[in-house]
Amino acid sequence: MVHTFPHIMIKEIFENPRAVRDTALGRVDSATGRVTLEGIHLHAEDFSKIRKIRIAASGTSRHAGIAGRYMIQELACVPVYVEHASEFEYGNPITGPDELTIVITQSGETADTRGAMHLAKSRGSKILAITNVVDSTIAREADAVIYTHAGAEISIASTKAFSAQLVALFLLGVYLGDLRGTLTSEQSRHWITELLAMPDKITHTLTRDTECSALAEKFYKSEDFLFIARGVHFPIALDGALKMKETSYIHAEGYPAGEIKHGPYALIDEKLPVVAIATRDPNDAAAVRRSERTLANCKEITETGGRVIVIATEGDRKVEEVAQDVIYVPEAPELLSPLVEIVPLQLLAYHIAVRRGVDVDRPRNLVKAVTTE
């Protein structure tokens, strides 16, 4: 059956499974757990010298970078720092040959990301680019490149390209973990098997589209949103807020769930919808604790009179005790769960924007590739 879509954005949201599948395709061997990255022209000894990784990116790409920090630190045990590309030069970055700089850009032409790359390169850092556009400026000038295979992304709000960036960063984490000896072959095989299962889980998540549309009908008149989460899920909250801002023109903020008592809690009332990511990987004790703490925040918000929407793992019915609305996603490992969590947030932003009469594919004042600073 061929789908017809009223807007490019919703079409590209539904292309998330293919973007994830294609970005992994041909790069992984589930039998051995090995990752092959064809654009990595750096030698193993180059990676063995790396003492830290710095990621420079803007907008949605930066949110992918923050998620990538959690992935790479967990898989490869190397410290990772994430910076706004537009602020990179103002912090006098202390970098050199023992540091790898990763620049992430959908277009490969982002001006401030190019500037960050040039500065890092001038100070001796090796450059790895993650981009969706073959032979783009950043791809040509970097020492190594990982292409995301999301296909052309037309709608200004990035959706499938973001998911593909998450996969590229995860693959890099497994690749480095193998090179640095922080992952056993058995662990690598486990992670690759889990990654290859994600397209089907994303496809299943897309069946929640009707529920997201119904939620949009409830909340499209809201003027503010707060998105909260912990750990690797926090950058997904950030991107959920960004999608809401740029597509519907609703003011939205992403916050670490543990930080809301340090100021934002004063905003809580019946008019402010709070979207909380509280999925859990039952095989990860730390993930379970993280989820329970976020649900405790949700309970307090509800008791204060706030409205809570929770992104939760299927089967976790305890969530319904602390939230008025729940969107369930399939169970996934902690590091890969962002791939299913982002989908309902993209759908919610889309449906709210449509109800508000916004041109979802071409939001005002925005362009697809920011080529000037």
Side-chain angles (χ1 to χ4, degrees):
M1 179 179 178
V2 177
H3 283 280
T4 56
F5 297 100
H7 301 97
I8 297 172
M9 181 181 174
I10 187 66
K11 173 180 178 290
E12 291 177 345
I13 292 173
F14 271 77
E15 289 173 347
N16 268 309
R18 183 196 56 75
V20 168
R21 183 179 295 110
D22 288 356
T23 300
L25 189 66
R27 290 171 164 167
V28 297
D29 185 334
S30 57
T32 64
R34 299 299 297 273
V35 172
T36 301
L37 298 176
E38 70 282 355
I40 301 291
H41 303 303
L42 301 174
H43 299 294
E45 53 266 30
D46 291 320
F47 287 108
S48 67
K49 296 175 184 175
I50 293 172
R51 297 292 174 264
K52 63 179 177 178
I53 294 173
R54 193 187 303 264
I55 296 175
S58 297
T60 285
S61 294
R62 178 174 167 271
H63 300 158
I66 299 172
R69 174 169 71 90
Y70 288 94
M71 295 173 180
I72 294 170
Q73 289 189 162
E74 177 74 19
L75 298 168
C77 297
V78 59
V80 182
Y81 304 88
V82 185
E83 302 194 30
H84 292 276
S86 59
E87 290 290 311
F88 191 82
E89 67 177 293
Y90 306 116
N92 187 29
I94 310 301
T95 185
D98 64 344
E99 179 173 310
L100 175 67
T101 300
I102 301 174
V103 290
I104 309 173
T105 160
Q106 186 279 140
S107 68
E109 304 294 343
T110 310
D112 42 24
T113 307
R114 290 203 319 268
M117 177 181 70
H118 292 156
L119 178 56
K121 200 169 189 177
S122 72
R123 298 190 177 185
S125 176
K126 295 292 186 181
I127 308 296
L128 169 61
I130 296 176
T131 183
N132 197 42
V133 181
V134 175
D135 203 34
S136 55
T137 300
I138 285 177
R140 292 195 308 270
E141 295 182 356
D143 298 301
V145 61
I146 301 175
Y147 286 112
T148 52
H149 297 159
E153 188 177 66
I154 308 303
S155 185
I156 285 178
S158 183
T159 53
K160 62 178 181 174
F162 175 68
S163 297
Q165 289 170 350
L166 293 176
V167 174
L169 287 158
F170 182 81
L171 290 173
L172 179 62
V174 176
Y175 179 83
L176 291 175
D178 180 40
L179 279 180
R180 296 168 62 85
T182 57
L183 290 178
T184 65
S185 57
E186 182 179 352
Q187 288 171 323
S188 295
R189 284 196 300 272
H190 164 76
W191 281 117
I192 295 308
T193 298
E194 293 288 359
L195 174 63
L196 294 176
M198 293 309 297
D200 287 342
K201 293 184 179 184
I202 298 169
T203 298
H204 178 67
T205 305
L206 286 164
T207 65
R208 303 296 186 188
D209 182 44
T210 301
E211 295 171 42
C212 293
S213 180
L215 276 180
E217 186 63 32
K218 279 188 182 182
F219 294 108
Y220 78 95
K221 293 182 180 179
S222 300
E223 293 304 321
D224 301 277
F225 264 82
L226 183 63
F227 291 73
I228 62 172
R230 282 178 162 83
V232 70
H233 317 276
F234 166 56
I236 307 309
L238 287 175
D239 209 63
L242 179 58
K243 293 287 98 66
M244 188 68 72
K245 271 184 273 203
E246 61 188 345
T247 60
S248 69
Y249 311 154
I250 292 174
H251 174 254
E253 296 295 334
Y255 244 85
E259 289 291 309
I260 63 170
K261 290 185 179 179
H262 299 280
Y265 205 65
L267 299 173
I268 301 298
D269 62 17
E270 70 283 355
K271 296 180 181 179
L272 176 68
V274 179
V275 180
I277 302 174
T279 56
R280 66 172 66 197
D281 174 0
N283 301 309
D284 185 328
V288 173
R289 287 195 303 275
R290 183 264 312 157
S291 175
E292 289 174 347
R293 288 170 181 168
T294 301
L295 289 179
N297 293 130
C298 294
K299 185 174 186 292
E300 291 172 337
I301 291 168
T302 301
E303 290 174 346
T304 307
R307 296 297 306 272
V308 179
I309 304 165
V310 176
I311 309 298
T313 301
E314 290 175 349
D316 188 3
R317 297 299 173 185
K318 289 195 303 183
V319 176
E320 296 171 10
E321 299 173 8
V322 301
Q324 294 90 342
D325 297 285
V326 183
I327 302 175
Y328 288 104
V329 297
E331 182 183 305
E334 182 80 345
L335 291 181
L336 289 170
S337 57
L339 289 168
V340 290
E341 293 164 354
I342 190 58
V343 172
L345 302 187
Q346 293 172 351
L347 290 170
L348 182 63
Y350 166 77
H351 286 296
I352 285 179
V354 169
R355 282 165 174 75
R356 290 170 69 92
V358 174
D359 183 350
V360 294
D361 293 325
R362 292 288 181 272
R364 65 191 180 203
N365 306 327
L366 299 179
V367 294
K368 186 62 179 172
V370 181
T371 57
T372 59
E373 294 187 58

